[in-house]
Amino acid sequence: MTLFQFLWSFIRRHRRNYVLAAMMLVSISVLTVWIPRQVGYLIDQLASHQADASVLIRELGWLLLAGITIYFLRVGWRIQLFTASYQLGVELRTRLYQKLCLQSGAFFDQQKTGDLMAMGTNDADAIELAAGEAALAGFDGSVTFGLVIGMMLTGVDWRLALAALLPFPLMAFAFRRITHHVHDASKASLDSFSALNEQVQESLAGVRTIRALGLEQRNAEQFSALASAARESSYQAQRWEAAYEPAVGLSLTVAGFMTLATGGWLVWQHEITIGALTSFSMYLGQLIWPMFAAGWVLALLERGKAAWKRLEPILNAELQVKDNGTLTTLPAPALSMQHLQFTYPSQQTPALQDLSLEIRAGQTIGIAGPTGAGKSTLVRLLLRQYEVQQGQILWGGQALSSYQLDALRKQLNWVAQEPFLFSASVAENIALAAPGASQAQIERAATLASVHEDILRFPQGYQTPVGERGITLSGGQRQRVAIARALLTDSALLILDDALSAVDTATETQILQHLRHLRQQHPSRTMIIISHRLSALAEADQILVMKNGKIHEQGNHDSLLQQDGWYASQWRYQQLEASLDAA
Ligand code: ATP
């Protein structure tokens, strides 16, 4: 879809605003063109002493009324047009936001946050301007231009009109060349604003790391370089946009010269009156706006087109994880993973290779293995953050994709190693997925996650704000708040992806005890625990050791110790470490 098709479909939906604005603009143009004709007529009447005082007062009264009407019509079209174009901004941003919310992991792996933010602000603004100011100036300028040219050709003298319009084809040629440069410069300017945005976003998110590593100076220099590049590209865009004005000015000066020369000669030859020449000169003056409007419209449209070129691929990007499933009810979570193979789009080597696994409903599965073994990747496929490339995952005998995404995700509770807390109170963060939860339910979930006591020590208890991304909490507190959040909702499959890594061993044991107790109350619930600390997995029904995307060892704690492989040696090492710590 091109920018024009997009704008046209919007204008059609909001045609009432646009038609009313257009009618007002046409009325303004008609009145504006009528004024010089009236002035010319009045001058000729006065020059030939045919107008007395009452005629003069009456004609001036009409001119005044026309001026006042133009004023109110101008207010009217602005209200109509800008109401619509601001609505376009809202619709565009909402569409972008909804699209981003539906996109999956692979999409965000390829996009930069700062870039996406720039699209929602700068690029959307540029398209909004194309739908508002450019639509207005384009329409108004064209109508005024048509009427004025019509009046010049038919109302005064066609020879004078042709002579005056002689420089305009040259101006059109100059416009064509400038427009080409404006497009490229606008695109470069939007790109460099995005790069600047990305730098700001990343620096602010990582400001503590930058400070800890003493990188402030280097970061400031990088920012300064990007800001200079953004300034330079904006300057270039403005420079090319400004190039329309001299082209218009020069053409109008030549047109004025031609008018005086040809018009003077025609008056001298008594072919036209001085009043007619005055009217013609006023018409020429009225061409100033359509000419400048043309330059302005072209600049706005080129900027809009450049923004649309950036935004359109995001708005129309295909969803990599499709929500085509029809099943809405999920049975107990018995999972079957068959010959899974997965490679991240940016990688050469597969993160998962021919991985098969059966999990019965109600089982607790532990997953261990060295870093980069593919543990989290397995979870991401289960969560449908990425689509399975080869093999399949079945839930209750049905492919994951046959369930509606919303229904599936309601039955999945995932706690990541670095959970995301929102800038709200502790209670609101725990009740994120269950906003109607009572205080007692929130406190129960916090108790199960062994974070209740910590929360009571906070200055405002459960109402304490956690700051952006939960910055005022410790890593362990953040993880436990996230576990409480997961336990508050009633889902069938709980996944802890290294979610206890920042918690001390005693607290970890306490939380795992609570989880085991919960499982006894709801025996069909399944739990997957990924952990580097093997003590967290020892009680699991089945433990997998993953290496290089494959299952390397499999069994329960005792059988894995007997196998005397990676698990057994890690276990011994961690036990020794724990006893040394205790000593
Ligand atoms: P850890 O214990 O450190 O969390 P893991 O076993 O969970 O590691 P994964 O996160 O599943 O490992 O990563 C498996 C492989 O896939 C790694 O080689 C990693 O570099 C790669 N990988 C992970 N996420 C992405 C991504 N978004 N894009 C590209 N490659 C990725």
Side-chain angles (χ1 to χ4, degrees):
M1 191 187 244
T2 63
L3 176 65
F4 292 112
Q5 285 167 334
F6 170 73
L7 290 181
W8 183 239
S9 77
F10 177 82
I11 289 171
R12 270 176 39 197
R13 273 187 291 119
H14 295 267
R15 53 183 168 272
R16 188 178 167 275
N17 294 76
Y18 279 93
V19 167
L20 278 173
M23 280 162 59
M24 292 184 200
L25 283 166
V26 170
S27 310
I28 292 170
S29 299
V30 170
L31 285 172
T32 313
V33 171
W34 173 80
I35 289 173
R37 191 189 168 93
Q38 198 62 7
V39 171
Y41 165 75
L42 196 55
I43 287 175
D44 284 343
Q45 292 282 306
L46 289 171
S48 58
H49 302 287
Q50 284 175 6
D52 58 14
S54 68
V55 172
L56 182 65
I57 290 170
R58 192 188 65 218
E59 294 303 323
L60 286 177
W62 282 120
L63 288 173
L64 185 67
L65 186 65
I68 293 170
T69 312
I70 287 174
Y71 169 80
F72 281 108
L73 288 172
R74 279 193 204 287
V75 174
W77 72 246
R78 275 189 170 80
I79 292 173
Q80 293 301 326
L81 198 85
F82 292 124
T83 307
S85 75
Y86 291 151
Q87 183 57 27
L88 177 121
V90 173
E91 286 183 21
L92 199 59
R93 288 187 175 94
T94 309
R95 216 176 120 187
L96 176 68
Y97 180 74
Q98 284 173 343
K99 190 73 187 206
L100 294 181
C101 287
L102 292 174
Q103 282 295 4
S104 54
F107 172 86
F108 289 103
D109 286 349
Q110 288 151 11
Q111 300 295 333
K112 293 179 176 160
T113 313
D115 226 6
L116 296 174
M117 283 164 66
M119 286 181 196
T121 51
N122 222 22
D123 296 70
D125 277 347
I127 295 168
E128 197 177 303
L129 282 176
E133 269 88 341
L136 141 80
F139 181 78
D140 188 30
S142 310
V143 171
T144 311
F145 182 78
L147 283 171
V148 171
I149 296 290
M151 292 305 288
M152 278 178 157
L153 284 168
T154 58
V156 186
D157 186 285
W158 66 271
R159 290 163 299 175
L160 181 58
L162 282 188
L165 295 178
L166 222 53
F168 288 104
L170 283 175
M171 191 189 79
F173 177 71
F175 269 26
R176 225 179 105 87
R177 300 217 50 170
I178 296 168
T179 301
H180 180 69
H181 289 290
V182 166
H183 180 87
D184 292 349
S186 297
K187 171 89 172 51
S189 153
L190 291 167
D191 285 345
S192 60
F193 178 79
S194 264
L196 188 65
N197 222 29
E198 174 63 16
Q199 162 83 6
V200 172
Q201 188 293 119
E202 214 169 29
S203 303
L204 289 180
V207 70
R208 285 167 188 82
T209 311
I210 290 170
R211 218 175 282 148
L213 294 174
L215 296 175
E216 294 95 331
Q217 181 63 28
R218 202 174 85 186
N219 202 262
E221 282 164 13
Q222 280 172 351
F223 177 81
S224 174
L226 282 173
S228 301
R231 184 215 54 205
E232 179 56 26
S233 59
S234 284
Y235 168 74
Q236 288 300 334
Q238 293 292 326
R239 207 175 75 116
W240 280 112
E241 284 176 21
Y244 288 115
E245 283 190 22
V248 172
L250 196 66
S251 306
L252 286 171
T253 309
V254 177
F257 173 80
M258 298 296 285
T259 302
L260 274 183
T262 318
W265 186 77
L266 287 172
V267 170
W268 192 45
Q269 295 292 315
H270 301 290
E271 302 237 1
I272 60 170
T273 63
I274 293 191
L277 182 59
T278 310
S279 298
F280 192 89
S281 300
M282 287 179 79
Y283 286 138
L284 199 61
Q286 285 183 346
L287 276 188
I288 295 176
W289 156 240
M291 292 298 112
F292 279 112
W296 190 40
V297 168
L298 287 173
L300 288 177
L301 285 181
E302 287 312 313
R303 201 171 167 72
K305 272 158 76 179
W308 182 249
K309 222 183 225 176
R310 285 162 41 84
L311 201 56
E312 198 258 356
I314 303 291
L315 288 177
N316 293 331
E318 222 181 299
L319 295 181
Q320 278 148 7
V321 173
K322 300 206 169 50
D323 192 8
N324 295 336
T326 49
L327 303 177
T328 50
T329 321
L330 281 88
L335 300 169
S336 171
M337 301 174 197
Q338 300 171 353
H339 307 291
L340 292 182
Q341 183 91 12
F342 181 80
T343 309
Y344 285 98
S346 60
Q347 301 281 11
Q348 302 289 327
T349 42
L352 293 181
Q353 302 186 55
D354 197 24
L355 186 141
S356 297
L357 174 68
E358 297 293 327
I359 302 175
R360 287 199 311 279
Q363 273 195 324
T364 296
I365 304 295
I367 307 181
T371 57
K375 305 181 291 292
S376 300
T377 305
L378 183 64
V379 168
R380 287 179 200 134
L381 295 188
L382 203 50
L383 292 164
R384 292 202 69 204
Q385 289 180 358
Y386 293 82
E387 203 63 291
V388 172
Q389 290 160 348
Q390 274 179 46
Q392 57 175 353
I393 304 181
L394 306 178
W395 177 307
Q398 300 284 346
L400 276 193
S401 55
S402 56
Y403 296 104
Q404 277 183 10
L405 261 183
D406 194 38
L408 174 73
R409 289 190 177 145
K410 276 205 173 84
Q411 292 306 319
L412 283 165
N413 246 327
W414 165 60
V415 188
Q417 183 181 3
E418 286 164 22
F420 194 96
L421 299 195
F422 289 88
S423 178
S425 69
V426 180
E428 282 166 327
N429 265 293
I430 294 177
L432 193 67
S438 67
Q439 181 62 22
Q441 288 170 316
I442 293 173
E443 286 187 19
R444 184 173 167 272
T447 307
L448 290 173
S450 300
V451 70
H452 177 67
E453 302 295 329
D454 291 55
I455 297 173
L456 291 185
R457 282 196 295 273
F458 293 159
Q460 292 159 260
Y462 277 85
Q463 295 316 315
T464 310
V466 302
E468 209 175 33
R469 298 169 192 231
I471 196 71
T472 58
L473 305 188
S474 73
Q477 285 166 342
R478 274 203 292 277
Q479 283 192 335
R480 282 175 289 151
V481 166
I483 293 175
R485 179 194 282 168
L487 295 180
L488 187 60
T489 50
D490 223 13
S491 62
L493 176 62
L494 175 65
I495 303 171
L496 303 183
D497 186 354
D498 223 358
L500 296 166
S501 58
V503 174
D504 61 83
T505 322
T507 314
E508 178 193 88
T509 312
Q510 199 180 41
I511 296 172
L512 290 171
Q513 257 173 14
H514 292 157
L515 293 180
R516 269 194 292 277
H517 185 64
L518 261 186
R519 222 191 99 196
Q520 280 160 8
Q521 290 172 356
H522 305 277
S524 67
R525 287 195 191 166
T526 304
M527 194 156 64
I528 297 177
I529 306 175
I530 297 176
S531 178
H532 286 283
R533 209 187 284 152
L534 301 186
S535 57
L537 313 179
E539 307 258 347
D541 301 305
Q542 205 187 151
I543 301 169
L544 316 177
V545 175
M546 288 183 65
K547 248 188 189 178
N548 301 326
K550 292 180 184 158
I551 297 180
H552 187 65
E553 293 168 31
Q554 188 169 12
N556 63 17
H557 175 70
D558 293 334
S559 72
L560 285 174
L561 286 185
Q562 275 170 17
Q563 284 178 33
D564 202 20
W566 185 92
Y567 183 89
S569 71
Q570 283 292 311
W571 174 262
R572 283 195 296 273
Y573 177 77
Q574 289 182 9
Q575 290 298 304
L576 182 66
E577 204 176 39
S579 57
L580 286 175
D581 282 349

